[in-house]
């Protein structure tokens, strides 16, 4: 029983306090943030700290890590895992797991490759078929978990095996199918023109600014509690600065031999990741489905009593997860320009789960975000990329990645022990 | 009478849990429902809330008999129940919990500002001063604050009868007082409150009338102002007290 209620000064709920000085408002905001962090709601902090620490470490150990070429490389290497992780977040929020997401991406990629290369279909057909495969897989898994009541761990473990077999059968007992379609290969292989990158940057930062400012003004007008304008401005400037620096760096020449072939611009896969991030962040934070997803993961009984269509929400989570796995499969196929039975296999699934958890999704449900998948995906990609540059063996890399996953899961478990969630945004 | 139960009986198989129970609750009053463990308090509440179907008897709302087969039927009649386990989502904030399942939308987008404003107004009207930040997760709230959120969730929907199942059972002294004050304010605002409790101090602190169940029968309904604690204890433990109560099984009249 906490004594805070009796000792708290009576405060009007959520009414705008008398406007304090701007400096004091900012300090109050910082203090509120710090107390949240201390109580266990650390949000993106561990992942961001991890990214910075890893970049410093690898930058010192292997200077080529900080080269522009390697930056572009990182996006390409991490994209497929980040896509799958974004889908996994949905399943993790509902307190389930999908162990089949890796091979689901392999099956989707295999179907696309067969359609494109062997049947000569146009690329929209191939991509649509791949995503439809993901939807179908998700529907099947979700129905088995929700309607039949088999634990998701078992259903998706069965899927893990079955989809591995399915990919083998589709690929005719293990042939490697090349992808020649230029559009599909461009997804993970081509870059935007320089001016396109700048235009996209302007649209993104402009849109973000408009959203933030209009939200702030709306809350002030309604007399709801709001952040100090300085904090909103700082956030816009920080995001704008980070994105501008990224676009600037990616627009530099990164070809080893610029006379022969020029290599500049923002990789198309970055745009894809950005678009998916915006889409799923919107779904999670601004739609009724997103709200219900968190409710189902937080307290299923409460969600049922509140009239939430719990079964439909849970099945939809599996559908989104497998569909995003299919997108990850398309990206992986595009990057390799081929599909083989090991696409989506090996450590892809574990890296994806690791990415989601490192970013801040909880294995105990109720917590996670699209941002978590991206940040965690970045951590995983940096570890693999950096250790590869250092010439460490695959064995060491697997071991270290496993340790990082364990560390993230440990932080997750400990933060629950403190009786508090990390907070999901 | 807002809610009038007459001759409600309910059996689970051969076990008769409620037998011809009567009870009436009017708007603006707090009616306490007391009784020993197994007296049928929870079953009676679940019958009113639509979780159990009754075997016989009638439930009348505003004088008209109503069929309640489903929690949604109860909600449609303005009956809301706050269960002991509160049913809050720890990972959602106060506003999100208050509106769970009945979110306000602007197109397909959640209208969070409107919900926050409405939540603030509702809490204000209940004179709740203990919730400082409506955007903090429920996990970080104290027991009394959580109870407050659960009660506010029940009254947010133009409900007319709020049923509270042991709302003070897990609370300390100061928090119990706050929740009891909140219950009193609900009645003062014209809601009917049915308040289940084991704690007679709490019951006498807030109730207008006290209904005592004894082995599935209504032993008696007394005015809190006229009754003493020992009379209510007698009703709970033996089903009768002086002239009030069930006929003595041995036929002895006092």
């Amino acid at each position: 029983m906490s004594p805070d209620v009796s000792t708290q000064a009576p405060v009007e709920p959520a009414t705008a306090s008398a406007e304090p000085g701007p400096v004091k408002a900012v300090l109050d905001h910082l203090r509120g943030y710090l107390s949240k962090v201390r109580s266990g709601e650390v949000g993106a902090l561990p992942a961001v700290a991890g990214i910075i620490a890893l970049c410093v470490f690898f930058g010192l150990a292997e200077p080529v890590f900080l080269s522009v070429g390697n930056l572009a490389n990182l996006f390409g290497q991490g994209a497929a895992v980040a896509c799958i992780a974004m889908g996994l977040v949905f399943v993790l929020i509902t307190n389930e797991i999908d162990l089949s997401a890796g091979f689901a991406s392999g099956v989707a990629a295999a179907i696309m490759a067969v359609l494109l290369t062997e049947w000569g279909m146009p690329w929209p057909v191939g991509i649509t078929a791949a995503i439809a495969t993901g939807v179908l897989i998700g529907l099947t898994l979700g129905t088995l978990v929700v309607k039949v009541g088999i634990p998701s761990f078992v259903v998706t473990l069965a899927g893990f095996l079955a989809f591995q077999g399915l990919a083998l059968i589709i690929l005719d007992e293990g042939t490697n199918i090349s992808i020649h379609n230029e559009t599909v290969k461009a997804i993970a292989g081509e870059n935007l023109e320089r001016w396109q990158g700048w235009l996209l940057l302007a649209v993104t930062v402009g849109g973000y600014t408009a959203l933030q400012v209009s939200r702030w003004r709306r809350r002030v007008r309604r007399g709801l509690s709001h952040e100090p304008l300085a904090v909103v401005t700082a956030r816009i400037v920080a995001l704008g600065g980070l994105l501008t620096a990224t676009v600037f760096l990616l627009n530099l020449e990164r070809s080893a031999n610029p006379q022969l072939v020029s290599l500049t611009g923002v990789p198309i896969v970055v745009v894809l990741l950005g678009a998916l991030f915006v889409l799923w962040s919107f779904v999670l934070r601004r739609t009724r489905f997103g709200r219900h997803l968190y409710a189902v993961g937080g307290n299923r009984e409460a969600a049922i009593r509140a009239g939430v269509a719990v079964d439909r929400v849970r099945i939809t989570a599996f559908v989104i997860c497998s569909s995003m796995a299919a997108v990850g499969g398309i990206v992986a196929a595009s990057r390799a320009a081929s599909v083989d039975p090991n696409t989506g296999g090996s450590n892809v699934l574990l890296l994806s789960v690791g990415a989601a958890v490192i970013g801040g999704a909880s294995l105990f449900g109720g917590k996670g975000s699209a941002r978590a998948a991206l940040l965690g995906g970045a951590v995983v990609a940096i570890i693999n990329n950096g250790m590869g540059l250092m010439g460490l063996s695959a064995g060491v890399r697997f071991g270290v990645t496993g340790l990082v996953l364990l560390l993230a899961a440990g932080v997750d478990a400990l933060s629950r022990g403190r009786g508090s969630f990390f907070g999901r945004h | 009478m807002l809610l009038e139960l007459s001759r409600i009986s309910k059996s689970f198989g051969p076990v008769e849990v409620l037998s011809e129970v009567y009870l009436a609750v009017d708007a603006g009053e707090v009616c306490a429902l007391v009784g020993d463990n197994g007296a049928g308090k929870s079953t009676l509440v679940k019958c009113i809330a639509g979780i159990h179907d009754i075997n016989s008897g009638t439930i009348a709302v505003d004088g008209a008999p109503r069929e309640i087969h489903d929690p949604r039927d109860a909600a449609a009649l303005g009956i809301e129940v706050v269960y002991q386990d509160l049913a809050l989502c720890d990972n959602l904030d106060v506003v999100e919990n208050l509106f769970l399942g009945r979110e306000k939308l602007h197109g397909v987008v959640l209208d969070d500002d409107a919900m926050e404003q409405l939540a603030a107004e509702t809490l204000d009207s209940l004179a709740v001063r203990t919730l400082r930040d409506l955007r903090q997760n429920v996990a970080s709230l104290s027991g009394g604050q959580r109870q407050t959120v659960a009660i506010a969730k029940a009254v947010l929907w133009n409900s007319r009868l709020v049923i509270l199942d042991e709302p003070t059972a897990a609370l300390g002294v100061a928090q119990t007082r706050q929740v009891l004050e909140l219950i009193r304010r609900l009645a003062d605002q014209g809601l009917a409150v049915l308040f289940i409790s084991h704690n007679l101090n709490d019951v006498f602190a807030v109730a207008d009338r006290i209904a005592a169940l004894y082995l599935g029968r209504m032993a008696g309904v007394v005015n809190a102002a006229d009754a003493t604690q020992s009379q209510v204890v007698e009703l709970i433990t033996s089903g009768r007290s002086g002239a009030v109560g069930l006929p003595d099984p041995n036929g002895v009249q006092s």
Side-chain angles (χ1 to χ4, degrees):
Chain A
M1 228 148 293
S2 89
D4 52 352
V5 173
S6 43
T7 56
Q8 253 171 32
V11 181
E12 287 289 331
T15 46
S17 47
E19 211 58 57
V23 177
K24 186 176 177 305
V26 172
L27 283 176
D28 279 350
H29 184 79
L30 278 178
R31 211 169 294 133
Y33 178 73
L34 279 177
S35 81
K36 264 190 170 172
V37 169
R38 262 200 301 273
S39 71
E41 290 187 32
V42 291
L45 217 54
V48 171
I51 291 173
I52 294 171
L54 287 167
C55 284
V56 170
F57 173 75
F58 286 126
L60 292 175
E62 206 67 47
V64 73
F65 174 83
L66 293 178
S67 69
V68 183
N70 197 45
L71 177 66
N73 233 343
L74 269 172
F75 285 110
Q77 289 171 348
V81 163
C83 284
I84 300 174
M86 258 193 257
L88 273 166
V89 160
F90 284 76
V91 170
L92 289 175
I93 289 173
T94 64
N95 200 7
E96 307 283 353
I97 184 80
D98 184 356
L99 299 176
S100 70
F103 280 113
S105 80
V107 169
I111 285 180
M112 178 182 73
V114 168
L115 285 179
L116 291 181
T117 304
E118 299 196 344
W119 295 14
M121 293 286 199
W123 65 267
V125 177
I127 287 182
T128 310
I131 293 175
T133 307
V135 171
L136 194 69
I137 288 174
L139 263 179
T140 313
L141 297 174
T143 308
L144 287 171
V145 172
V146 175
K147 296 292 186 191
V148 185
I150 314 171
S152 59
F153 175 77
V154 177
V155 171
T156 58
L157 191 60
F160 175 84
L161 282 174
F163 299 150
Q164 203 169 350
L166 197 57
L168 268 176
I169 294 168
I170 295 169
L171 295 171
D172 223 2
E173 296 307 319
T175 49
N176 178 324
I177 301 185
S178 306
I179 290 176
H180 306 297
N181 184 296
E182 291 304 324
T183 312
V184 173
K185 280 203 291 190
I187 294 172
E190 293 291 329
N191 306 297
L192 295 181
E193 298 289 335
R194 283 193 173 105
W195 65 268
Q196 288 170 324
W198 290 120
L199 180 66
L200 197 69
L201 173 77
V203 171
T204 310
V205 176
Y208 183 72
T209 307
L211 274 178
Q212 288 284 320
V213 172
S214 79
R215 180 180 136 83
W216 184 80
R217 291 179 57 172
R218 213 171 49 230
R219 291 185 67 87
V220 171
R221 204 175 51 232
R222 284 182 179 247
L224 299 171
S225 68
H226 53 268
E227 297 169 313
L229 190 57
V231 172
V232 178
T233 316
R235 209 167 36 223
I236 294 170
V237 170
L239 181 93
L242 189 70
L243 290 183
T244 308
T246 311
V247 172
F248 174 77
L249 289 173
L250 290 172
N251 271 351
L252 294 175
E253 181 62 59
R254 56 177 181 266
S255 168
N257 197 343
Q259 274 79 28
L260 215 61
V261 56
S262 175
L263 197 56
T264 66
V266 177
I268 288 174
V269 76
V270 173
V271 182
L272 177 70
L273 283 178
L276 288 170
F277 166 72
V278 171
L279 169 71
W280 294 128
S281 295
F282 172 78
V283 168
L284 284 173
R285 298 176 60 168
R286 292 277 167 264
T287 66
R288 177 182 278 177
F289 166 74
R291 182 71 39 90
H292 289 178
L293 196 74
Y294 287 108
V296 169
N299 187 342
R300 195 184 295 169
E301 181 61 30
I304 293 171
R305 286 198 209 152
V308 172
V310 173
D311 285 2
R312 199 167 62 208
V313 169
R314 293 174 68 203
I315 294 177
T316 310
F318 278 98
V319 170
I320 291 174
C321 179
S322 298
S323 310
M324 284 302 289
V327 173
I330 296 169
V331 170
S334 163
R335 182 169 167 78
S338 69
V339 174
D340 62 52
N342 211 24
T343 302
S346 144
N347 56 357
V348 168
L349 172 81
L350 289 179
L351 291 184
S352 307
V353 176
V357 175
I358 290 166
S362 174
L363 290 166
F364 304 97
K367 191 157 70 74
S369 61
R371 187 185 64 187
L374 282 193
L375 290 175
V379 171
V380 168
I382 289 171
I383 291 174
N384 270 320
N385 173 289
M387 287 193 297
L389 289 177
M390 287 172 73
L392 297 176
S393 70
V396 176
R397 281 152 65 185
F398 281 174
V400 171
T401 315
L403 280 178
V404 171
L405 170 57
L406 210 54
L407 187 71
V411 171
D412 180 20
L414 285 176
S415 83
R416 275 181 61 86
R418 300 175 70 168
S420 172
F421 282 69
F422 274 149
R424 66 185 199 276
H425 296 320
Chain B
M1 280 292 156
L2 179 67
L3 177 80
E4 205 162 359
L5 310 176
S6 47
R7 311 187 67 133
I8 302 280
S9 295
K10 171 71 188 169
S11 305
F12 293 109
V15 184
E16 189 171 49
V17 184
L18 295 176
S19 166
E20 310 222 322
V21 170
Y22 63 92
L23 181 66
V25 190
D26 207 358
E29 71 165 358
V30 178
C31 179
L33 184 61
V34 296
D36 212 346
N37 290 337
K41 303 188 298 286
S42 299
T43 309
L44 184 61
V45 166
K46 284 178 177 166
C47 288
I48 303 171
I51 292 173
H52 295 324
D53 279 333
I54 52 176
N55 296 119
S56 63
T58 52
I59 300 176
V61 177
D62 295 325
R66 299 284 190 167
E67 301 273 312
I68 302 179
H69 299 295
D70 191 79
R72 264 172 305 208
D73 297 342
L77 293 169
I79 300 172
E80 294 280 339
V81 186
V82 181
Y83 292 99
Q84 218 171 341
D85 64 357
L86 300 185
L88 298 174
C89 290
D90 274 352
N91 59 334
L92 298 184
D93 68 31
V94 174
V95 179
E96 291 169 343
N97 265 292
L98 288 177
F99 285 86
L100 182 60
R102 310 186 237 200
E103 292 84 359
K104 290 209 173 301
L105 294 179
H106 196 86
V108 292
V109 187
L110 291 171
D111 196 347
D112 269 319
D113 292 342
M115 289 193 269
E116 185 169 336
Q117 204 165 25
L118 204 57
E121 282 164 13
T122 302
L123 292 170
D124 227 22
S125 75
L126 297 173
V128 170
R129 309 239 180 275
T130 49
L131 288 170
R132 220 181 339 193
D133 178 6
L134 295 185
R135 285 294 171 195
Q136 64 184 324
N137 281 354
V138 164
S140 64
L141 300 182
S142 70
Q145 290 172 315
R146 295 167 65 91
Q147 189 73 50
T148 304
V149 173
I151 293 173
K153 189 177 169 185
V155 300
L156 197 54
W157 308 104
N158 299 319
S159 50
R160 305 173 60 207
L161 168 67
V162 177
I163 303 175
L164 301 156
D165 190 0
E166 301 268 5
T168 57
L171 300 184
V173 177
Q175 300 188 6
T176 298
R177 201 189 65 233
Q178 282 170 359
V179 169
L180 291 179
E181 282 170 7
L182 178 57
I183 292 171
R184 193 61 248 175
R185 275 195 295 274
L186 295 183
D188 292 345
Q189 289 192 4
L191 275 83
V193 180
L194 185 61
F195 167 54
I196 300 175
S197 182
H198 266 113
N199 187 325
L200 288 187
N201 287 327
D202 292 356
V203 166
F204 274 92
V206 74
D208 298 306
R209 290 186 306 131
I210 303 169
L213 277 174
Y214 176 69
L215 299 181
R217 294 166 161 274
M218 187 56 74
V221 182
V222 296
N223 283 328
D226 308 335
T228 63
Q229 287 217 12
S230 59
Q231 278 176 314
V232 175
V233 170
E234 281 181 53
L235 282 174
I236 293 172
T237 52
S238 64
R240 50 183 295 112
S241 166
V244 185
L246 298 164
D248 190 285
N250 300 322
V252 182
Q253 294 288 327
S254 60

